[in-house]
Amino acid sequence: MTRSRLGLLKAFALLFLIPGLAGLIVSASISEHYLDVMPQTPVPSEYRVVPRWIHGVTVYQTAQEDRQLNIIEYSSVGIFSIGLVLGIFYLERWGKARASEASEEDTYLAHETK
């Protein structure tokens, strides 16, 4: 694999890893916020009847809040996973390229010393 293709693979891995990690951080901070402000008992008058388990505490939220946080969490995990797979693929290809370069150098040095 050429250096430019390796660079492109690295860029795509980072393009998915960084936003995925940022989304996970955002969803964790939203969960912490929910833990602080959401009621711990259902409040039907405010439609806060959907339970969410956060750090061993059940808080109640609206269906829309639950849906929004689920979308953020699941999409962040998906994006991060794609970046992780691309990063592992990049490291595997990079290792093979480095081994190939080292092998070529060893061959060149062996012929040069004869």
Side-chain angles (χ1 to χ4, degrees):
M1 188 173 259
T2 64
R3 285 189 184 268
S4 63
R5 292 188 83 185
L6 274 176
L8 188 61
L9 186 58
K10 181 181 178 181
F12 272 110
L14 290 173
L15 185 69
F16 284 97
L17 278 171
I18 293 171
L21 185 59
L24 290 170
I25 292 169
V26 166
S27 69
S29 65
I30 291 171
S31 290
E32 288 294 320
H33 175 72
Y34 280 7
L35 186 60
D36 292 337
V37 300
M38 297 285 177
Q40 294 182 7
T41 57
V43 182
S45 62
E46 296 176 8
Y47 301 105
R48 296 195 180 281
V49 293
V50 179
R52 178 171 293 269
W53 184 267
I54 303 172
H55 300 299
V57 177
T58 302
V59 296
Y60 291 87
Q61 59 193 353
T62 64
Q64 182 180 2
E65 291 166 338
D66 183 52
R67 189 172 35 258
Q68 288 174 342
L69 187 53
N70 283 342
I71 288 171
I72 293 171
E73 287 176 344
Y74 294 136
S75 62
S76 297
V77 168
I79 291 169
F80 184 79
S81 298
I82 290 169
L84 191 62
V85 168
L86 288 174
I88 291 170
F89 187 68
Y90 163 76
L91 289 174
E92 187 256 335
R93 293 294 178 153
W94 179 79
K96 283 184 180 179
R98 296 287 294 172
S100 175
E101 288 174 7
S103 170
E104 289 172 5
E105 281 183 25
D106 289 345
T107 304
Y108 175 75
L109 291 174
H111 286 291
E112 192 175 90
T113 57
K114 288 185 181 181

